[in-house]
Amino acid sequence: MKKAGVNHDTLAGWIFLAPFLVSLSVFFLWAIVRTAWFSLTDYDLFGTPSFIGLENYVRLVSDDLFLLALRNSISFAAIVTTLQTVLALLLAVLVNSAARAKGLVRTVFYFPSIMSSAAMTLIFLWLFQRQGLMTSLVGNVINLRWIILSFVATVAGVQVLQVVLARRKYAEVGLFDPFFLILSVALGLAGAIVIRLGGWLPVYDEQLLISWLNTKEVFLFMPRTLWSVALMNIFTTVPTLMLLFLAGLQSIPGSLYDAAKMDGASSMQSFFSVTLPSLTPVTFAVVTLGLIGTLQMFDQVAILGAAAPLESRITLAYYTYYNTFPPGGSPNIGMASAAALTLGLLTLVIVFVQRQFGIKERIG
Amino acid sequence: MNTTERPLRPLNVLRRRQLAVLAWVYFVFIGLATIILGTFAIAFSASLKDNPLESPFRLIFPQITPSVWIKAADLGRQGADNPWWGGFAPGGELVFSLTYAAPAGVDLVTPEVEVPRRKPGSGLAAAITTTFASDYAIVELTGTSDRFFVSTEPETGQNIRWLARTFDYKISYSEEAGDNIWIERLPFTALAPRTQTLLEATLPVTRMERRGRVASWNNIAPGALGLILNSYRRVISETVDLSSGDRLLFKWMGNSFQIAVGRVILMIVLSSLAGYALARLQFRGVRLVFVLVIFSMTVPVQVTFISNYLVVRDLGLLNSNWSVIMVMIASVHVLLMKQYFESFPREIEEAAMIGGANRFQIFLHIVLPNAKPALIINAIMAFQGAWNDFFWPFVLVTNPPSALAMPVGLLSLRESYGGGQGDWSLVLAGAFISIVPVLIMFVLFQKYIVNNQVTEGIK
């Protein structure tokens, strides 16, 4: 009876799965096999592919554009993932004591993540025009540098003064005591306004033009163009990731912190010994998803188009597309396939590493 | 070390500290929300501006000033009897005044005014504009009036006497022009020597040209909405298919809508069936399929796109919405449906099975109707994903212009309008129009979206 049931399930199972399996076989499995085959051939989308062995891979490693794309992709993934994870984590810890991000605030934080990459990129392209708003923001900071410095100095000075005075009388006064900090910042602001109005420090009036996108300049292993894209990515992802971390933080039982406090741990120590370890699963998810997402970055590069030089924006994903449909050239499917497989392999390595660590984490 | 010597702070001080922490937390929250929403608010305000690249960037500008709206509505009523969208139509007669000022003693010259023969902008506008207000408008000076005022020089403290002269113009629709057509905009320019400055005008000047000698208006009969939503109106009316005359923005929206709906339907069929099989049915190979599902979620689309492009090409479906619909891999949704079905109580199905129903009947009549919540969440996700998807429409649908999907259409907007001196307000307007459907969905279903994204991310 039971065996018959299983047989019945087998037939029903495959029938239920059939539509999905057809789609998966044609558009996924066969596609991978074909890409692998194309990577070993000389193919231009029209003729018949002829086998040329590993030549495409050899050509790939000697192609400067590919090496550049590889470097850009890896540095973009590493930089964006690091920045967005650290920032989201810090912000989540900062605001954790607020009961919960609810209602309107939550909606606001999700807002950037529902936008299409196309709309988002256009908004940032406008923001990053040479004479655009970003330039004038930076220009304002540069022109007001002395006033900003005086503000920072006042805040630091007043804060240290207050803390030193309080420490003479009482124990356990932190350097960043929040109540003192309110006073310090208020005084700093008042001081900056007085200095500005009194004209005691120079305010410059330099008009500057910054090429955020259309430039070949490289800053810390990555073209400035990609830094601009990175800024946009971080802007889109950090709010959502922060809510993820917040959900993780709020599931940490308060008794753990109490125990740490009883053992005499400082708030810094309890952050590293209680908060961070408890957040490990979330962090792993955030880092893995971040790496996979950023490694495959394509949309922004394509939408940038002629607004930035190819070398400053090319990534592995775009290299694949670029070799498939080269502007004014004949398609080089062999190299495109080989590059695509490289990208796929990189992704798989990341997933594999994450699995390995994830398992260790669970055992430990 | 010396904690024993000094006491802790008194309770009320610690309480004060606690409140300060809370204040900082909310400050950070509000600050973040301001940065997020502020970016969009600023970009939106730029989409309304005549020059979104202006420097310094004004936060108060004519398009958001109610007193200007009233004037624009009045001018629109005078020009075409339409206070909302304005225009210049037969019978239209506008009164437009300019006030120039010069220090007393300097000769105040009557400006040379005209309705220039001008296209509304670069890009496609240049190709599709065929009617010009200049062919129909008659401008005449109806009167002038003088007044004096005194201003104080800020540096020297000297008083200066100024003469301000107001020139009233009547711009009327020529009755001799036989074809009696409605014209969308009525541009206007006034040339005056630099010894006199333009003090005010019925409508704020759009820009100064030729080193400040020419005051130029894009449209002096805009109507209230024509003033505020100028770039939105332009992006809709100017992005047209030159061969068919279709409004491209609506075409792109329609295409994206078809793609999204098609993908949602395909996703529901594939993922509910497959998810149920993976969750409930025990058979050989189920494990392998599950591994495949997971594997397919990690492989980048670039690996599969060459072959999929060829499949679509060989089927003759390139440049059709079908191609974008069918290349979707529904693995994420299969996984989510599987998880949902696993939490579904088995007893109901077993009771039905004893009652003689087979698997298909159970699925169709019992399981599926109860899976509505999961199906809704998946449908929202799939719709949003399809609406925002850039890669597949970019690769599979490249022409004609009317066949593009919205995100790729936005790219073509960027190419035709977004240059160093381009019409960025049009590009931004297109971007904001494109997010409206997803925005509506987000507002309607935000509970589902927000909760789901949190749980999905943690897994």
Side-chain angles (χ1 to χ4, degrees):
Chain A
M1 178 65 200
K2 197 174 181 193
K3 204 174 176 193
V6 168
N7 278 339
H8 213 78
D9 269 6
T10 307
L11 180 66
W14 287 113
I15 294 175
F16 272 67
L17 276 175
F20 174 66
L21 282 184
V22 168
S23 146
L24 196 69
S25 316
V26 174
F27 294 111
F28 182 72
L29 287 178
W30 192 43
I32 292 183
V33 172
R34 270 224 282 193
T35 304
W37 161 242
F38 286 149
S39 79
L40 303 173
T41 64
D42 196 1
Y43 183 46
D44 62 357
L45 281 183
F46 301 102
T48 26
S50 55
F51 185 76
I52 55 166
L54 291 174
E55 204 183 306
N56 284 318
Y57 293 90
V58 175
R59 272 195 278 168
L60 215 52
V61 284
S62 58
D63 181 9
D64 287 340
L65 197 62
F66 170 76
L67 296 176
L68 193 63
L70 187 66
R71 203 183 73 173
N72 282 349
S73 277
I74 292 178
S75 29
F76 185 81
I79 288 167
V80 172
T81 308
T82 312
L83 287 181
Q84 73 188 14
T85 311
V86 170
L87 230 117
L89 182 60
L90 278 183
L91 288 173
V93 171
L94 256 183
V95 300
N96 186 28
S97 14
R100 203 166 275 189
K102 261 194 203 159
L104 194 65
V105 178
R106 231 181 148 80
T107 312
V108 168
F109 278 50
Y110 270 111
F111 188 62
S113 65
I114 64 156
M115 299 270 293
S116 70
S117 52
M120 204 67 192
T121 310
L122 290 190
I123 290 175
F124 271 76
L125 271 177
W126 161 75
L127 215 55
F128 283 128
Q129 286 300 296
R130 245 162 66 86
Q131 70 277 47
L133 201 57
M134 209 51 153
T135 301
S136 58
L137 275 181
V138 172
N140 275 333
V141 170
I142 291 176
N143 285 338
L144 292 172
R145 55 185 177 264
W146 290 111
I147 297 199
I148 292 171
L149 270 176
S150 76
F151 166 76
V152 172
T154 317
V155 171
V158 175
Q159 179 75 5
V160 166
L161 193 72
Q162 291 186 89
V163 170
V164 166
L165 285 180
R167 274 187 183 171
R168 280 193 186 165
K169 273 172 83 179
Y170 302 115
E172 285 191 22
V173 180
L175 186 57
F176 293 101
D177 185 274
F179 184 73
F180 291 159
L181 203 57
I182 291 182
L183 289 178
S184 313
V185 169
L187 274 175
L189 271 179
I193 291 171
V194 167
I195 292 172
R196 174 82 178 87
L197 292 178
W200 296 331
L201 281 175
V203 171
Y204 302 93
D205 192 23
E206 287 156 28
Q207 292 288 323
L208 76 166
L209 290 173
I210 305 176
S211 296
W212 297 94
L213 304 166
N214 194 1
T215 170
K216 291 187 179 175
E217 210 129 324
V218 175
F219 173 73
L220 278 183
F221 315 111
M222 196 161 77
R224 193 195 283 167
T225 310
L226 286 180
W227 277 99
S228 308
V229 178
L231 205 65
M232 169 184 131
N233 261 42
I234 290 169
F235 174 87
T236 321
T237 49
V238 161
T240 322
L241 296 183
M242 187 192 125
L243 290 184
L244 277 182
F245 277 123
L246 216 50
L249 278 174
Q250 273 150 10
S251 65
I252 301 176
S255 55
L256 280 182
Y257 287 106
D258 295 341
K261 203 164 189 183
M262 268 208 270
D263 290 346
S266 71
S267 56
M268 206 62 147
Q269 282 167 329
S270 73
F271 173 75
F272 281 107
S273 57
V274 177
T275 313
L276 275 189
S278 314
L279 286 180
T280 309
V282 188
T283 314
F284 261 111
V286 166
V287 169
T288 315
L289 291 176
L291 280 176
I292 293 176
T294 46
L295 209 52
Q296 300 173 5
M297 202 259 292
F298 176 89
D299 302 4
Q300 291 87 332
V301 181
I303 294 165
L304 269 174
L310 184 67
E311 308 92 89
S312 305
R313 64 187 161 99
I314 195 163
T315 59
L316 269 186
Y318 194 76
Y319 179 88
T320 305
Y321 171 81
Y322 186 79
N323 267 292
T324 312
F325 304 109
S330 74
N332 195 340
I333 299 304
M335 300 237 316
S337 303
L341 287 181
T342 313
L343 177 62
L345 205 69
L346 267 177
T347 315
L348 283 182
V349 166
I350 290 167
V351 174
F352 182 73
V353 168
Q354 191 253 345
R355 289 272 139 127
Q356 290 300 99
F357 274 99
I359 287 164
K360 260 187 206 151
E361 216 33 68
R362 252 169 252 150
I363 293 167
Chain B
M1 297 154 258
N2 41 18
T3 38
T4 42
E5 294 165 23
R6 288 174 295 150
L8 288 173
R9 280 175 287 180
L11 258 180
N12 64 332
V13 176
L14 287 176
R15 174 83 193 130
R16 205 175 62 185
R17 184 182 176 280
Q18 226 42 76
L19 283 176
V21 168
L22 218 61
W24 278 112
V25 165
Y26 281 106
F27 180 75
V28 172
F29 248 135
I30 292 167
L32 278 176
T34 311
I35 293 175
I36 296 166
L37 275 193
T39 308
F40 293 108
I42 293 276
F44 182 71
S45 81
S47 78
L48 305 176
K49 285 187 179 188
D50 290 317
N51 176 17
L53 292 177
E54 68 180 4
S55 175
F57 192 85
R58 289 175 299 168
L59 292 174
I60 305 289
F61 49 95
Q63 279 79 4
I64 59 163
T65 313
S67 60
V68 183
W69 298 348
I70 293 168
K71 280 178 185 165
D74 189 36
L75 287 166
R77 198 185 43 72
Q78 293 174 38
D81 207 15
N82 185 346
W84 299 112
W85 292 101
F88 194 44
E93 198 176 277
L94 295 90
V95 176
F96 198 75
S97 313
L98 311 172
T99 304
Y100 280 92
V106 176
D107 215 15
L108 248 176
V109 183
T110 304
E112 288 172 34
V113 299
E114 67 164 335
V115 173
R117 192 179 176 84
R118 186 196 288 159
K119 289 162 180 167
S122 57
L124 272 174
I128 58 166
T129 311
T130 50
T131 54
F132 295 93
S134 57
D135 298 340
Y136 300 88
I138 301 166
V139 185
E140 55 186 308
L141 184 63
T142 54
T144 59
S145 56
D146 287 2
R147 71 187 160 89
F148 288 93
F149 67 97
V150 174
S151 76
T152 312
E153 187 90 348
E155 276 159 27
T156 57
Q158 241 178 348
N159 283 346
I160 303 179
R161 227 166 94 85
W162 292 76
L163 168 64
R165 182 170 295 162
T166 303
F167 302 90
D168 296 320
Y169 292 96
K170 191 175 86 181
I171 300 115
S172 46
Y173 198 98
S174 164
E175 281 166 16
E176 285 156 33
D179 39 356
N180 283 345
I181 46 169
W182 178 84
I183 300 158
E184 192 175 278
R185 62 195 70 237
L186 179 61
F188 192 73
T189 55
L191 169 72
R194 294 179 65 188
T195 48
Q196 62 195 52
T197 42
L198 181 67
L199 205 59
E200 57 189 13
T202 310
L203 207 62
V205 66
T206 309
R207 68 186 159 272
M208 299 301 288
E209 291 166 353
R210 290 202 259 158
R211 297 181 175 271
R213 279 183 299 147
V214 173
S216 173
W217 287 262
N218 280 348
N219 187 1
I220 58 167
L225 292 175
L227 173 89
I228 301 167
L229 300 176
N230 179 37
S231 43
Y232 287 81
R233 170 159 79 170
R234 275 188 60 201
V235 79
I236 288 170
S237 66
E238 282 179 26
T239 44
V240 291
D241 190 334
L242 284 180
S243 50
S244 64
D246 290 330
R247 298 263 161 103
L248 286 178
L249 219 66
F250 295 143
K251 285 270 172 190
W252 298 340
M253 277 225 163
N255 290 330
S256 271
F257 198 75
Q258 278 180 24
I259 290 170
V261 170
R263 279 198 179 178
V264 166
I265 294 170
L266 183 66
M267 177 280 296
I268 286 178
V269 173
L270 297 187
S271 68
S272 61
L273 283 169
Y276 183 72
L278 290 180
R280 273 290 188 275
L281 307 174
Q282 300 300 317
F283 59 96
R284 282 162 62 95
V286 73
R287 179 100 198 118
L288 179 74
V289 174
F290 184 67
V291 171
L292 254 178
V293 169
I294 301 286
F295 178 59
S296 66
M297 283 163 55
T298 58
V299 173
V301 282
Q302 281 77 24
V303 175
T304 57
F305 105 92
I306 295 166
S307 167
N308 290 351
Y309 173 84
L310 291 173
V311 169
V312 167
R313 188 186 73 179
D314 295 343
L315 290 173
L317 289 174
L318 275 186
N319 295 325
S320 81
N321 293 333
W322 293 112
S323 66
V324 184
I325 293 171
M326 68 190 211
V327 293
M328 172 187 66
I329 300 291
S331 296
V332 183
H333 302 286
V334 170
L335 207 64
L336 287 174
M337 287 313 289
K338 170 183 177 283
Q339 277 163 359
Y340 180 80
F341 288 133
E342 274 168 350
S343 67
F344 191 73
R346 242 172 224 280
E347 291 74 24
I348 305 172
E349 289 165 65
E350 275 161 6
M353 195 108 72
I354 291 165
N358 67 29
R359 278 285 180 194
F360 299 99
Q361 288 165 331
I362 292 171
F363 178 76
L364 213 59
H365 298 299
I366 296 171
V367 177
L368 212 49
N370 282 300
K372 236 185 216 161
L375 289 176
I376 291 176
I377 293 173
N378 274 290
I380 294 168
M381 280 174 63
F383 187 94
Q384 188 197 341
W387 186 271
N388 290 346
D389 183 20
F390 177 82
F391 184 76
W392 286 116
F394 179 66
V395 171
L396 298 176
V397 182
T398 46
N399 98 84
S402 60
L404 302 182
M406 195 72 212
V408 188
L410 288 182
L411 170 61
S412 80
L413 269 190
R414 208 277 294 144
E415 281 163 352
S416 46
Y417 293 104
Q421 298 297 325
D423 275 327
W424 272 100
S425 47
L426 262 68
V427 179
L428 291 171
F432 281 108
I433 291 174
S434 81
I435 63 169
V436 168
V438 177
L439 202 63
I440 291 173
M441 216 176 60
F442 183 65
V443 172
L444 288 181
F445 299 102
Q446 56 165 298
K447 202 177 80 190
Y448 292 100
I449 299 174
V450 170
N451 288 341
N452 186 61
Q453 281 180 344
V454 169
T455 46
E456 191 198 349
I458 291 176
K459 258 166 233 153

